[in-house]
Amino acid sequence: MVLATLLPSWYQKSRVKTFIRNELMGAQLYKAWFRGFDNPDFRRPLTEVVYRDDEGGLLDVEHDVEALKNRSPEEWKALFESRWMGPKWPYGSGVWGKLEWVYPGIDASNIVSFAEGGTNLMWAERLGKELGVEDLWVKMCGNTHTGSFKDLGMTVLVSAVRQMLSAGKEIRAVACASTGDTSAALSAYSAAAGIPCIVFLPKNKISPAQLVQPMANGAIVLSLETDFDGCMRIVQEVTSDGRIYLANSMNSLRLEGQKTISVELVQQFGWDLPDFVVLPGGNLGNVYAFYKGFKLMLDLGLISKIPRLVVAQTEKANPLYLAFRNGWETYTPQVAEATQASAIQIGAPVSIHRAIRALNGCDGIVEQVSEDEFMNAAARADRTGMFTCPHTGVALGALEKLISQGVISKEHKVVVVSTAHGLKFTGSKAGYHEGNLAEVQSRHKNVPVELSDNADDVRRALDRLLG
């Protein structure tokens, strides 16, 4: 089996297998299912190939909250603490350590995991002091296997596909449209599971690092002469007969993994809460996933309120921002313009209505930033030791604007979500420091100082540069 190559040798020991079997049997007490996002009467098992209800609406994964209440808040906290990044399969994963809240009843032999999650929650001490918000933290979701938060959703989705296959479903492959990070995550987890993977990418609109990841993992890579929204339209058509499984975030299984970021960061704060969580928004499944995680903790009594979520968008792709500004009276899809924040260059986000529900449920905010604002915000953060992707720069730029508006102030605890690793976007980084990005005045650029091989010349240059 492919799974055997993924597991450490101790997993083969009978004692450990017995422990896992008993623990997973406990998880069987809990249940989850698909239900219509706006149609609660529509229900389907998680092993069914279905993405929309009978009226065409998106789905959600619903959990039996009353059954989950059989454990007290303190018992849930103790359980999650006992598993946290430990050696017991599959609980060492930040996602599967919260299995009962993600996919209760899954067969452990179908789980595909790279021990995703457990990413560091970094105190941004120097940047916070510069901005006047000293309790500033950055959740480094890019410090994971394929370099983005998308791993958290893909471990659930690909494991669910293996569960379907074991139940006799005929699925030829999994497929996604992507602006880069989704394809990297899907191809890696599919390769580990031995499931064929197809990715639809917009031609010349993703970074070389993002393009090479699915290629290296053996995926079928289709580079289409369209944008992400065009790729999304085509992948939905190709997967409509159910023989190829759709892996984009319109598939609510993805969001079950991504919602664990909320639980994880609260756990990392010792079960304390931030006041604001700021994250970049593209296809908008992530903001709803964050909300779901907080809402479940609230329903089960682990927390007393939900932090205010802030969705940051670039001016080049800002449909949620425009809808927020008009009080949600209208929403108009748009053709997204080219932006350095390529992963959120999405004009017709599939999860727009999910995002609106999430923001309404937590007094949320949407802010937009220009190319100049977010690339300089990213560079400013880098000057304090980070190496941020452009999309994290969008969140940081929105943070700076909300501070200047007085919405976020020095007494607030703030978490900025860094969604991907900066090494996936070295082209935009280099372009910034070379000063050749359109619409960007590089206020923090730093270029090599070219000198002769004369030591005196070097000393004089260092005296000048160090002051």
Side-chain angles (χ1 to χ4, degrees):
M1 291 178 63
V2 174
L3 186 66
T5 66
L6 303 177
L7 302 183
S9 59
W10 51 259
Y11 180 74
Q12 307 302 325
K13 296 180 181 179
S14 175
R15 179 177 59 82
V16 177
K17 289 203 292 184
T18 300
F19 169 84
I20 293 170
R21 184 170 61 251
N22 291 340
E23 188 118 353
L24 287 170
M25 283 177 66
Q28 302 284 345
L29 299 173
Y30 308 109
K31 298 184 184 303
W33 53 87
F34 290 124
R35 57 153 279 184
F37 184 74
D38 291 312
N39 180 7
D41 294 329
F42 182 91
R43 291 193 175 196
R44 296 290 187 276
L46 297 183
T47 50
E48 187 163 325
V49 179
V50 59
Y51 317 113
R52 294 184 180 273
D53 64 24
D54 294 334
E55 298 174 357
L58 292 179
L59 304 181
D60 205 354
V61 173
E62 185 174 64
H63 291 260
D64 185 347
V65 175
E66 292 306 311
L68 292 171
K69 287 180 179 177
N70 288 335
R71 272 193 170 111
S72 71
E74 294 309 313
E75 286 173 327
W76 280 119
K77 292 177 185 179
L79 178 64
F80 294 159
E81 292 289 349
S82 71
R83 294 171 174 174
W84 177 252
M85 307 310 291
K88 296 173 182 174
W89 178 272
Y91 303 119
S93 157
V95 173
W96 295 110
K98 297 160 179 67
L99 182 148
E100 296 87 350
W101 293 14
V102 175
Y103 195 140
I106 192 170
D107 188 327
S109 65
N110 290 325
I111 291 175
V112 183
S113 173
F114 290 112
E116 53 287 311
T119 53
N120 50 313
L121 181 60
M122 185 193 79
W123 181 31
E125 180 183 12
R126 182 179 166 195
L127 181 62
K129 286 180 179 178
E130 290 181 6
L131 298 178
V133 179
E134 296 190 17
D135 209 355
L136 175 63
W137 302 76
V138 179
K139 180 60 173 163
M140 306 294 284
C141 294
N143 292 354
T144 188
H145 179 63
T146 72
S148 87
F149 76 95
K150 300 294 179 71
D151 289 1
L152 302 174
M154 285 309 175
T155 183
V156 177
L157 183 135
V158 174
S159 298
V161 171
R162 290 189 72 177
Q163 186 85 355
M164 294 176 193
L165 290 169
S166 69
K169 290 288 189 299
E170 295 184 4
I171 298 173
R172 299 171 62 199
V174 291
C176 72
S178 179
T179 51
D181 291 333
T182 298
S183 66
L186 180 62
S187 62
Y189 282 86
S190 298
I195 299 171
C197 173
I198 309 164
V199 299
F200 297 75
L201 302 175
K203 187 176 181 180
N204 298 326
K205 291 183 174 67
I206 68 171
S207 75
Q210 291 172 300
L211 175 62
V212 78
Q213 284 182 286
M215 293 170 59
N217 289 138
I220 299 171
V221 179
L222 305 178
S223 181
L224 306 184
E225 294 187 354
T226 184
D227 58 9
F228 170 80
D229 296 309
C231 290
M232 190 68 214
R233 174 183 55 81
I234 292 171
V235 76
Q236 290 182 72
E237 293 179 12
V238 169
T239 58
S240 61
D241 66 0
R243 295 194 302 160
I244 297 175
Y245 194 72
L246 179 63
N248 281 96
S249 60
M250 66 174 286
N251 187 322
S252 52
L253 286 168
R254 282 266 308 278
L255 306 187
E256 292 306 290
Q258 289 165 210
K259 80 180 185 188
T260 61
I261 310 176
S262 301
V263 188
E264 187 171 290
L265 70 87
V266 174
Q267 184 177 0
Q268 288 172 307
F269 278 135
W271 303 101
D272 194 11
L273 282 171
D275 298 296
F276 290 86
V277 177
V278 187
L279 62 155
N283 218 17
L284 301 179
N286 209 22
V287 61
Y288 183 62
F290 267 82
Y291 176 74
K292 282 197 75 176
F294 285 122
K295 181 68 163 58
L296 184 56
M297 285 188 285
L298 181 68
D299 290 344
L300 295 178
L302 279 75
I303 60 175
S304 59
K305 65 176 183 178
I306 297 177
R308 296 185 73 181
L309 297 175
V310 179
V311 178
Q313 294 201 298
T314 167
E315 291 178 354
K316 303 290 188 178
N318 61 353
L320 183 69
Y321 172 78
L322 296 177
F324 173 75
R325 292 289 294 178
N326 68 26
W328 307 125
E329 291 293 327
T330 59
Y331 155 64
T332 305
Q334 60 187 215
V335 177
E337 299 178 45
T339 171
Q340 294 301 318
S342 58
I344 56 174
Q345 185 181 323
I346 300 171
V350 169
S351 291
I352 179 78
H353 299 296
R354 289 169 168 165
I356 292 172
R357 180 176 295 181
L359 292 166
N360 282 335
C362 65
D363 191 22
I365 302 169
V366 188
E367 186 54 89
Q368 68 170 359
V369 290
S370 67
E371 299 288 298
D372 183 78
E373 288 170 331
F374 76 74
M375 287 303 297
N376 277 295
R380 182 178 191 172
D382 289 352
R383 285 285 188 141
T384 69
M386 292 184 240
F387 194 66
T388 56
C389 68
H391 319 92
T392 303
V394 173
L396 290 165
L399 170 66
E400 291 188 17
K401 293 182 82 167
L402 293 173
I403 292 172
S404 69
Q405 296 164 12
V407 176
I408 294 177
S409 55
K410 62 181 181 180
E411 69 269 14
H412 288 131
K413 176 184 286 189
V414 182
V415 174
V416 172
V417 180
S418 179
T419 55
H421 202 292
L423 285 172
K424 300 179 83 167
F425 301 92
T426 52
S428 67
K429 289 287 192 188
Y432 175 88
H433 289 286
E434 292 164 358
N436 60 16
L437 298 183
E439 304 179 49
V440 176
Q441 181 182 353
S442 302
R443 292 187 289 277
H444 306 288
K445 71 177 180 180
N446 187 22
V447 295
V449 178
E450 296 183 357
L451 298 168
S452 71
D453 63 350
N454 182 283
D456 289 335
D457 288 345
V458 172
R459 290 191 187 94
R460 282 190 291 269
L462 290 175
D463 286 341
R464 183 179 74 255
L465 292 168
L466 293 172

